[in-house]
């Protein structure tokens, strides 16, 4: 019918009609592919293994169907040795195939004869054997149960008589469920429970995560959608200290390490329907955001360059993710599944030397001679013209206040600092010892200014040292329900750069205090954050302070889709992962997650842990990780979580002695990934190895990791990994200029690294798809139906999986004998009829196929994994061998 309408209407068809036609054609091609893959494929189809009553005749009929299918499909092939005209599109080629299939009399006749033969063989050979089986007796009992119920009451639905006349005996309600519970499945057949579904629908792929409205069309978002942080949280550890820094009760000194929340402020300009509510922010968030003092290491001046200030502070800017207790609020994406609160924290730890005093802080004699005064300077909305305020205004005057996104149509990305520093003049015209630092803000904050003038928080914590207190910690975290880590990190980085790069004159500010090698002074920012520990100060002050930096951090993302930050973060995460692990350890890590083992990733670099865990899980695509996943585990929880009984992926920082002790005493079934050393220590005992030779399983995993890692290496560093090839010639490295778009910040080329990770992910995907090849033809859908009865809301169903057939298919694939019907032809723009990667037909390329003779234990463990069970139970029933 669709072909006839196409011929009659031609180009005048509506767009919707064309789309419906194409869906119809693709469905037909998919049916042909399924018929081939599940039933008639040589050396792999189900009918190849059936013992027919008349084997010779049945074999001829199956061969007739094969020939007819191949003949119909082959009309879309490009003739060998003939250059095809450019005008022949994939759609035209697909249409030729559809016409051939529909009009093939040979295919219709051969299918009809094969169907008759199958019915005959069932009646002659299979039904008599079934009647001898206990299962037949159970079914008869269920029919009798139905008959007894019908005898006691009139039929409650129409169609019973028709069913009986056709030899169909309705079963009582729930009979299939009872039978499936009683039956003992043969070895090699596993049972899976799909989710409860409406009886009028079929099990399909788990729904894709809802994307933002602008992702598909790559349109910019509206101003009311979040592209930066939704909340700012200030935290620190000043308990037990009065306004002078004196410890009120020395017994409280043991609690100085406890970090508390100073303030939580909702930032301005957020969406009307935010992805995160304040109630969603857990009270334990500070455990994820805080960073302990830097562990003393050799060559620290090189390793920790830029993290140590001249006034005695260690500074860390780290990414973190917190599990969200409200699953409906947080963002869920393909790269970051599951509800999380995304955050970036800027943390200051007071440097303490071995004698308990402040290191470096007392070496600045000039600082002791100067008296600092800091205040928030309210600037009304009168200034409309953009200005370029200077860091230093020697006359102490106030310039106009313009943030990067205000009055400039969101196009300005050059930051304009709201800070001015001045030295008042004395009567003689010289500069006084007072340094006045003013921060232009858009709201009045008198109480905040009063607290700032009373005593600087940095001075208070220094005096606390003399009273027996510990080193101080203060920090600020930006959090959001969406993955806006890039914008939040840019925001806090600019905040740190601007506030700590405050000089006493313009020459000094432009020379000694610029770039990564600047001599940073953190007291100004520390004082502002510490003042928020006071209960009665205006919390709005934090909003005003962050406003220009939020605008600056958001400026480059405003014209881009909301999902762009997630993709950028995923690219950077993949880059950091492949830079931390060589190819073979990376392949071993991929196999451990594919086999759903317990994995702990460790590093002294917290942001790398978060990136590596996220990149690792993305390597499972198109499968998903269905177990515990905590990218960054607080120290207080790590000891308990490593004993979690099910598979997990945990990120544990290796920053102090306690964490090192924990990592050195992991349970025997936990795999350790050391991102600093670049190694993967496989667990001594693997999960799901019960009943197997544990040593043989480990050997297979390590051997597979070595070979798959070599594939990774050839993709990442081809010349190095193919250095023994006779075609590998010596060529001196020649520098080539890179286009500006391929060079990242600081002139570093990251495009190659990102493309390498994309290639690694593609290899992983192809490996997983090959593992699943033919699996849907091993699935049998079992559900309960009542002839003539109306549909009900829900019903139970089961999926049986033939593991023996799965292993047989893997063996055939490794030998190159179980091949698809379409050998790579492009029909209707793609060589598959399904948009779901996991519903693709078997592929033509078998280079990544595993031979069960070599990796039988690996395949057996894979079949026991939750990811495989989820795949089996979530397939469309129409794609299975029986439904």
């Amino acid at each position: 019918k669709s072909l006839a309408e196409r011929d009659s209407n031609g180009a005048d068809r509506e767009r919707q009609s064309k789309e419906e036609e194409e869906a119809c054609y693709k469905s037909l091609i998919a049916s042909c592919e399924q018929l081939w893959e599940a039933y008639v494929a040589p050396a792999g189809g189900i009918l190849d293994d059936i013992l027919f009553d008349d084997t010779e005749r049945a074999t001829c009929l199956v061969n007739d169907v094969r020939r007819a299918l191949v003949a119909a499909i082959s009309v879309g092939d490009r003739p060998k040795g003939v250059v095809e005209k450019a005008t022949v599109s994939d759609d035209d080629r697909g249409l030729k195939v559809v016409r051939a299939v529909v009009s093939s009399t040979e295919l219709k006749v051969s299918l009809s004869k094969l169907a008759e033969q199958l019915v005959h063989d069932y009646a002659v050979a299979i039904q008599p054997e079934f009647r001898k089986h206990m299962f037949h007796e159970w079914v008869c009992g269920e029919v009798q149960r139905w008959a007894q119920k019908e005898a006691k009451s009139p039929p409650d639905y129409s169609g019973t008589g028709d069913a009986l006349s056709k030899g169909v005996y309705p079963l009582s309600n729930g009979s299939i469920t009872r039978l499936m519970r009683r039956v003992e499945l043969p070895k090699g057949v596993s049972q899976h429970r799909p989710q409860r579904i409406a009886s009028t629908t079929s099990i399909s792929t788990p729904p894709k995560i809802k994307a933002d409205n602008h992702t598909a069309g790559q349109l910019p978002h509206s101003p009311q959608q979040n592209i930066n942080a939704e909340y700012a949280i200030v935290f620190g550890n000043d308990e037990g200290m009065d306004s002078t820094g004196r410890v009120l009760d020395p017994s409280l000194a043991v609690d100085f390490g406890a970090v508390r929340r100073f303030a939580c402020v909702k930032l301005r300009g957020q969406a009307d329907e935010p992805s995160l509510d304040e109630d969603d922010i857990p009270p334990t968030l500070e455990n994820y955001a805080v960073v302990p003092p830097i562990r003393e290491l050799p060559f620290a001046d090189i390793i920790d360059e830029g993290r140590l200030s001249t006034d005695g502070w260690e500074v860390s800017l780290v990414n973190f993710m917190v599990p969200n207790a409200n699953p409906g609020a947080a963002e869920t994406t393909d790269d970051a599944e599951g509800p999380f609160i995304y955050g970036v924290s800027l943390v200051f730890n007071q440097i303490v030397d071995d004698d308990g005093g402040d290191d470096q802080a007392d070496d600045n004699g000039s600082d002791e001679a100067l008296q600092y005064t800091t205040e928030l300077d309210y600037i009304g909305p009168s200034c409309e013209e953009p200005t370029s305020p200077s860091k230093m205004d020697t006359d102490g005057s106030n310039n106009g206040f313009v943030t990067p996104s205000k009055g400039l149509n969101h196009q300005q990305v050059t930051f304009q600092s709201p800070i001015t520093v001045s030295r008042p003049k004395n009567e003689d015209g010289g500069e006084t010892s007072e340094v006045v630092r003013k921060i232009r803000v858009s709201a009045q904050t008198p109480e905040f200014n009063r607290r700032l003038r009373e005593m600087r928080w940095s001075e208070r914590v220094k005096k606390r040292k003399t009273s027996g207190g510990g080193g101080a910690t203060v920090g600020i975290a930006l959090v959001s329900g969406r993955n806006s880590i890039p914008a939040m990190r840019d925001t806090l980085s600019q905040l740190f750069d601007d506030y700590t790069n405050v000089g006493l004159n313009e020459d000094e500010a432009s020379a000694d205090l610029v770039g990564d090698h600047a001599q940073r002074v953190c007291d100004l920012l520390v004082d502002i954050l510490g003042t928020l520990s006071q209960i009665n100060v205006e919390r709005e002050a934090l909003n005003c302070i962050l406003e220009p930096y939020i605008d600056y951090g958001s400026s480059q993302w405003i014209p881009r889709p909301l999902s762009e930050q997630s993709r950028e973060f995923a690219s950077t995460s993949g880059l950091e992962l492949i830079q931390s692990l060589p190819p073979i350890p990376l392949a071993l890590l991929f196999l451990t997650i594919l086999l759903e083992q317990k994995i702990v990733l460790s590093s002294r670099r917290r942001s790398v842990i978060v990136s590596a865990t996220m990149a690792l899980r993305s390597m499972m695509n198109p499968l998903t990780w269905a177990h515990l996943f905590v990218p960054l585990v607080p120290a207080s929880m790590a000891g308990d979580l490593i004993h979690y009984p099910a598979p997990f992926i945990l990120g544990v920082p290796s920053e102090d002695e306690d964490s090192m002790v924990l990592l050195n005493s992991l349970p025997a079934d936990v795999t350790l990934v050391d991102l600093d050393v670049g190694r993967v220590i496989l667990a001594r005992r693997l999960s799901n190895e019960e009943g197997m030779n544990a040593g043989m399983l480990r050997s297979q995993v390590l051997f597979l990791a070595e070979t798959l890692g070599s594939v990774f290496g050839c993709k990442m560093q081809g010349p190095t990994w193919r250095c023994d090839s006779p075609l590998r010639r010596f060529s001196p490295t020649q520098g080539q200029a890179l286009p500006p778009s391929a060079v990242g910040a600081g002139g570093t080329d990251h495009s190659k690294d990102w493309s390498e990770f994309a290639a690694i992910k593609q290899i992983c995907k192809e490996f997983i798809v090959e593992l699943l090849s033919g699996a849907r033809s091993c699935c049998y859908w079992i559900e309960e139906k009542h002839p003539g009865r109306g549909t009900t809301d829900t019903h139970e169903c089961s999926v049986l999986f033939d593991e023996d057939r799965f292993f047989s298919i893997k063996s055939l694939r490794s030998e190159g004998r179980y091949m698809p019907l379409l050998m790579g032809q492009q029909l209707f723009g793609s060589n598959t009829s399904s948009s779901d990667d996991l519903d693709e037909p078997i592929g033509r390329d078998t280079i990544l196929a595993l031979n069960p003779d070599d990796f039988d234990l690996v395949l057996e463990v894979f079949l026991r994994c939750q990811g495989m069970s989820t795949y089996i139970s979530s397939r469309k029933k129409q794609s299975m061998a029986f439904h």
Side-chain angles (χ1 to χ4, degrees):
K1 179 181 177 181
S2 176
L3 290 172
E5 291 178 353
R6 181 187 182 97
D7 294 337
S8 61
N9 297 331
D12 296 332
R13 293 165 298 141
E14 296 181 357
R15 177 180 178 84
Q16 183 177 2
S17 175
K18 294 179 180 179
E19 293 176 351
E20 292 175 354
E21 286 178 4
E22 185 171 313
C24 175
Y25 302 154
K26 287 185 176 182
S27 177
L28 176 63
I29 299 299
S31 299
C32 294
E33 290 177 316
Q34 183 191 8
L35 174 64
W36 179 273
E37 177 182 330
Y39 303 105
V40 301
I46 292 175
L47 298 183
D48 250 18
D49 299 328
I50 294 180
L51 298 177
F52 291 96
D53 180 58
D54 187 346
T55 304
E56 184 176 354
R57 171 176 168 76
T59 301
C60 291
L61 293 176
V62 172
N63 287 334
D64 290 343
V65 173
R66 290 170 180 163
R67 283 192 294 268
L69 267 177
V70 172
I73 294 295
S74 298
V75 300
D77 291 347
R78 295 179 175 89
K80 293 183 178 180
V82 177
V83 179
E84 194 173 43
K85 296 182 179 179
T87 56
V88 180
S89 65
D90 293 338
D91 290 353
D92 293 337
R93 191 176 296 107
L95 186 60
K96 289 175 60 178
V97 172
V98 170
R99 291 185 184 277
V101 171
V102 172
S103 60
S104 174
T105 304
E106 181 185 1
L107 180 58
K108 294 177 184 178
V109 172
S110 60
L111 283 173
S112 178
K113 291 182 178 180
L114 178 60
E116 293 175 358
Q117 182 66 33
L118 291 174
V119 172
H120 175 269
D121 276 76
Y122 175 79
V124 173
I126 299 178
Q127 173 68 5
E129 293 298 322
F130 173 66
R131 293 176 63 88
K132 300 177 184 178
H133 198 275
M134 178 63 70
F135 196 84
H136 180 265
E137 182 177 338
W138 292 344
V139 175
C140 291
E142 292 294 338
V143 174
Q144 185 178 10
R145 184 196 298 260
W146 169 83
Q148 292 174 351
K149 181 179 179 181
E150 291 296 307
K152 294 180 182 179
S153 60
D156 59 351
Y157 63 90
S158 61
T160 302
D162 294 339
L164 293 175
S165 64
K166 296 177 181 178
V168 177
Y169 295 92
L171 305 178
S172 59
N173 190 28
S175 59
I176 297 298
T177 300
R178 289 190 292 271
L179 291 173
M180 293 304 298
R181 290 173 181 172
R182 296 178 65 183
V183 69
E184 181 178 350
L185 297 175
K187 185 178 180 180
V189 176
S190 58
Q191 184 175 1
H192 304 266
R193 298 286 187 185
Q195 57 190 357
R196 279 186 172 271
I197 58 171
S199 59
T200 56
T201 62
S202 63
I203 285 290
S204 60
T205 306
K208 290 288 185 181
I209 302 305
K210 184 179 180 181
D212 59 81
N213 297 332
H214 306 286
T215 301
Q218 296 298 299
L219 298 175
H221 55 79
S222 69
Q224 293 302 315
Q225 292 175 311
N226 300 323
I227 57 173
N228 208 315
E230 297 177 71
Y231 290 88
I233 299 172
V234 179
F235 52 88
N237 62 349
D238 69 343
E239 288 101 330
M241 181 178 64
D242 65 8
S243 60
T244 65
R246 186 177 67 249
V247 177
L248 300 179
D249 185 354
S251 64
L252 295 175
V254 295
D255 296 326
F256 282 146
V259 173
R260 70 177 180 89
R261 186 173 300 176
F262 292 171
C264 179
V265 178
K266 183 176 182 178
L267 299 175
R268 298 174 184 169
Q270 300 307 311
D272 296 332
E273 296 181 0
S275 58
L276 185 67
D277 295 326
E278 186 171 353
D279 293 339
D280 298 330
I281 302 176
T284 58
L285 181 136
E286 286 76 12
N287 293 336
Y288 295 85
V290 74
V291 179
I294 301 173
R295 183 157 48 97
E296 191 171 328
L297 293 172
F299 320 118
D301 291 341
I302 299 175
I303 299 173
D304 296 320
E305 183 180 2
R307 296 182 63 184
L308 304 178
S309 72
T310 58
D311 54 346
W313 294 95
E314 298 173 351
V315 191
S316 302
L317 182 64
V318 299
N319 309 332
F320 64 91
M321 294 169 59
V322 183
N324 192 351
N326 182 8
E331 177 190 75
T332 307
T333 66
D334 292 339
D335 293 326
E337 297 155 357
F340 286 99
I341 296 174
Y342 299 85
V344 179
S345 63
L346 179 64
V347 183
F348 300 86
N349 287 305
Q350 194 176 20
I351 298 176
V352 179
D353 59 16
D354 295 336
D355 298 329
D358 296 335
D359 187 16
Q360 299 183 15
D362 297 329
D363 296 336
N364 301 324
S366 61
D367 285 349
E368 293 185 5
L370 297 175
Q371 299 296 324
Y372 287 92
T373 301
T374 305
E375 65 175 299
L376 305 187
D377 188 15
Y378 171 64
I379 302 297
S382 59
C383 297
E384 296 181 359
E385 294 298 325
T387 61
S388 300
S390 170
K391 272 285 193 176
M392 172 61 65
D393 294 320
T394 56
D395 59 353
S397 62
N398 294 326
N399 288 319
F401 177 52
V402 177
T403 62
S405 65
K406 288 181 170 53
L408 300 175
N409 299 323
H410 301 290
Q411 299 299 318
Q412 177 68 31
V413 294
T414 301
F415 182 75
Q416 298 175 337
S417 174
I419 306 172
T420 59
V421 182
S422 62
R423 295 281 293 274
K425 306 293 185 178
N426 55 27
E427 296 179 355
D428 300 333
E431 294 181 341
T432 65
S433 61
E434 182 183 9
V435 177
V436 179
R437 301 181 289 193
K438 292 186 178 182
I439 304 164
R440 290 181 296 278
V441 294
S442 57
Q444 296 181 353
T445 56
E447 182 62 23
F448 192 93
N449 282 334
R450 189 181 72 82
R451 292 290 185 176
L452 272 176
R453 287 192 297 268
E454 279 186 352
M455 175 173 283
R456 296 166 52 203
W457 196 84
S458 58
E459 292 295 332
R460 291 170 56 194
V461 295
K462 291 175 183 177
K463 290 184 177 181
R464 187 175 72 175
K465 292 299 301 175
T466 62
S467 301
T473 295
V474 68
I476 179 173
L478 300 182
V479 297
S480 174
R482 298 184 63 88
N483 188 352
S484 54
I485 286 179
M488 293 189 292
R489 191 172 181 93
D490 288 349
T491 297
L492 289 182
S493 179
Q494 183 63 34
L495 176 74
F496 172 75
D497 183 43
D498 193 35
Y499 271 76
T500 61
N501 203 5
V502 177
L504 298 180
N505 56 64
E506 292 183 351
D507 294 336
E508 185 180 4
S510 61
D512 296 335
L513 303 179
V514 175
D516 295 337
H517 300 279
Q519 299 295 311
R520 300 287 176 177
V521 179
C522 298
D523 279 356
L524 172 58
L525 187 51
V526 167
D527 290 341
I528 290 176
L529 297 179
T531 301
L532 288 165
S533 65
Q534 304 296 326
I535 298 177
N536 55 346
V537 299
E538 297 90 350
R539 295 300 189 254
E540 183 63 16
L542 183 59
N543 232 326
C544 297
I545 292 169
L546 290 177
E547 190 173 9
Y549 305 96
I550 291 286
D551 291 334
Y552 176 80
S554 305
S555 59
Q556 67 168 312
W557 305 103
I558 289 175
R560 302 162 75 176
L562 283 171
S563 58
E564 187 70 18
Q565 289 197 62
S566 294
R567 285 193 288 269
E568 290 288 339
F569 181 73
S571 298
T572 304
S573 298
L575 165 65
E576 294 177 358
L577 177 61
I578 64 175
Q579 287 181 344
S580 299
L581 289 178
I584 291 180
L586 181 61
L588 179 57
L589 178 57
F590 166 67
L591 291 176
T592 57
I593 188 176
L594 190 61
L595 299 180
E596 295 185 354
Q597 302 299 304
K598 300 178 180 181
I599 304 171
V600 169
L601 293 91
S602 72
S603 173
R604 65 186 297 268
R605 301 163 292 164
R606 289 186 166 223
S607 297
V608 167
I609 297 178
V610 175
S611 297
T613 52
M614 297 299 291
L616 174 61
R617 194 167 63 169
S618 71
M619 293 171 65
M620 284 195 70
N621 181 50
L623 295 179
T624 57
W625 179 263
H627 304 283
L628 180 65
F629 179 79
V630 186
L632 192 63
V633 180
S636 58
M637 300 171 57
D640 295 329
L641 287 182
I642 61 172
H643 296 286
Y644 188 74
F648 56 69
I649 298 176
L650 304 177
V652 179
S654 55
E655 298 165 320
D656 51 32
E657 185 176 349
D658 292 340
S659 62
M660 296 303 298
V661 171
L662 176 69
L663 294 172
N664 288 328
S665 58
L666 293 174
D669 59 346
V670 175
T671 295
L672 175 62
V673 182
D674 192 331
L675 297 172
D676 293 333
V677 178
R679 62 176 177 174
V680 176
I681 303 176
L682 187 63
R684 299 188 299 275
R685 186 179 72 251
L686 299 180
S687 302
N688 293 327
E689 68 175 12
E690 293 79 6
M692 302 182 188
N693 186 322
M696 184 64 69
L697 175 60
R698 280 178 57 87
S699 298
Q700 290 185 10
V701 171
L702 292 173
F703 176 55
L704 181 56
E706 181 182 354
T707 53
L708 186 60
S710 299
V711 177
F712 286 0
C714 291
K715 287 291 183 180
M716 295 168 63
Q717 303 107 21
T720 302
W721 283 82
R722 296 189 179 99
C723 61
D724 292 336
S725 169
L727 300 178
R728 175 77 171 93
R729 299 181 181 182
F730 180 80
S731 299
T733 304
Q734 297 180 356
Q736 295 181 353
L738 292 169
S741 60
V743 180
T748 303
D749 174 29
H750 294 311
S751 59
K752 180 176 180 293
D753 298 305
W754 291 339
S755 63
E756 286 176 357
F757 182 66
I760 296 302
K761 285 183 63 177
Q762 183 62 29
I763 294 173
C764 294
K765 177 181 177 180
E766 293 174 359
F767 181 79
I768 293 174
V769 170
E770 178 58 45
L771 276 179
L772 299 174
S773 290
R776 60 180 185 173
S777 70
C778 305
C779 297
Y780 301 83
W781 181 279
I782 310 297
E783 66 178 328
E784 184 172 319
K785 278 190 176 182
H786 298 275
R789 180 174 297 180
T791 59
T792 57
D793 292 336
T794 59
H795 63 273
E796 286 193 22
C797 48
S798 299
V799 177
L800 301 184
F801 186 78
D802 189 344
E803 296 180 357
D804 291 340
R805 171 169 166 76
F806 178 79
F807 274 90
S808 175
I809 289 176
K810 297 300 104 178
S811 180
L812 293 171
R813 288 288 292 174
S814 67
E815 299 170 2
R817 298 172 56 201
Y818 182 55
M819 305 303 289
L821 176 63
L822 294 173
M823 294 296 289
Q825 294 102 316
Q826 295 290 322
L827 305 180
F828 301 109
S830 93
N831 58 355
T832 175
S833 60
S834 173
S835 60
D836 184 359
D837 295 329
L838 296 180
D839 271 338
E840 290 182 359
I842 54 178
R844 179 178 63 174
D845 191 357
T846 61
I847 193 171
L848 293 177
L850 296 183
N851 190 336
D853 292 341
D854 299 325
F855 301 106
D856 57 330
L857 300 182
V858 172
L859 292 172
E860 189 172 341
V861 172
F862 177 69
L863 288 179
R864 297 180 182 180
C865 291
Q866 182 64 36
M868 183 60 177
S869 179
T870 301
Y871 165 78
I872 293 171
S873 60
S874 62
R875 294 305 90 208
K876 297 177 181 179
K877 67 179 183 180
Q878 291 84 358
S879 69
M880 298 184 182
F882 173 86
H883 67 89

